Amino acid sequence: MTNVDWLVIGGGVGLIIAIAYYFFGPKKGVKVEEQDEGQKVEILVEGAYDPAVVEVKVNKLVEVVFDRRDKGDCTEWVIFDKLPTKEKREVKARLPEGKRTVVRFTPTKVGTYSFTCGMGMVRGKLVVKK
Ligand SMILES: [Cu+2]
């Protein structure tokens, strides 16, 4: 047999294995939702967000506790800009002075998103990772 014959046979056998694998091989697992396992982050609000950069995991409930201590109107509201969430609503909250306010959402897309005060002056970053 020539080299070409062997190539043809090899290719044929390879194809058969590929087809068999396709039909009988291991199936891709369905990802189990870990909805209850939340992740909690605390941010001190005092003229700035501390920490200003927060990392969370995608598709897991996030609880951000904003502890607002400053008196100015500036940081009264916090808005997470263009953040895709499972809840499909804009993530924003009023942060009463001297109180801890919990903001809950489930980010659905990996990326870096900003959160700001109502006027966009005080800024922080939410890094959503895989
Ligand atoms: Cu402001």
Side-chain angles (χ1 to χ4, degrees):
M1 286 210 280
T2 65
N3 283 342
V4 174
D5 290 338
W6 283 114
L7 267 179
V8 170
I9 291 167
V13 170
L15 192 64
I16 289 163
I17 290 170
I19 290 168
Y21 187 82
Y22 178 79
F23 284 107
F24 307 112
K27 297 284 177 282
K28 261 187 195 164
V30 178
K31 215 176 172 196
V32 178
E33 287 227 299
E34 297 169 275
Q35 212 33 258
D36 295 327
E37 199 189 316
Q39 32 192 346
K40 209 169 188 177
V41 182
E42 281 224 32
I43 296 177
L44 176 68
V45 184
E46 204 166 19
Y49 297 119
D50 180 20
V53 181
V54 169
E55 261 184 31
V56 295
K57 277 194 172 163
V58 72
N59 292 323
K60 277 195 177 178
L61 178 70
V62 177
E63 287 186 304
V64 187
V65 183
F66 286 97
D67 184 1
R68 180 169 169 236
R69 308 224 183 126
D70 61 29
K71 295 176 181 10
D73 292 338
C74 183
T75 53
E76 192 183 355
W77 282 86
V78 66
I79 299 160
F80 287 75
D81 193 35
K82 298 186 186 89
L83 174 67
T85 63
K86 192 180 158 221
E87 295 80 12
K88 301 215 185 304
R89 54 168 167 74
E90 189 187 17
V91 181
K92 63 187 241 180
R94 197 174 84 81
L95 311 175
E97 183 200 321
K99 290 209 167 132
R100 292 152 61 85
T101 307
V102 185
V103 180
R104 289 183 185 83
F105 55 86
T106 307
T108 52
K109 211 174 160 195
V110 168
T112 300
Y113 307 91
S114 54
F115 57 94
T116 67
C117 70
M119 293 146 275
M121 295 178 305
V122 181
R123 309 184 74 87
K125 268 184 189 158
L126 179 80
V127 182
V128 180
K129 292 194 151 184
K130 242 183 115 181

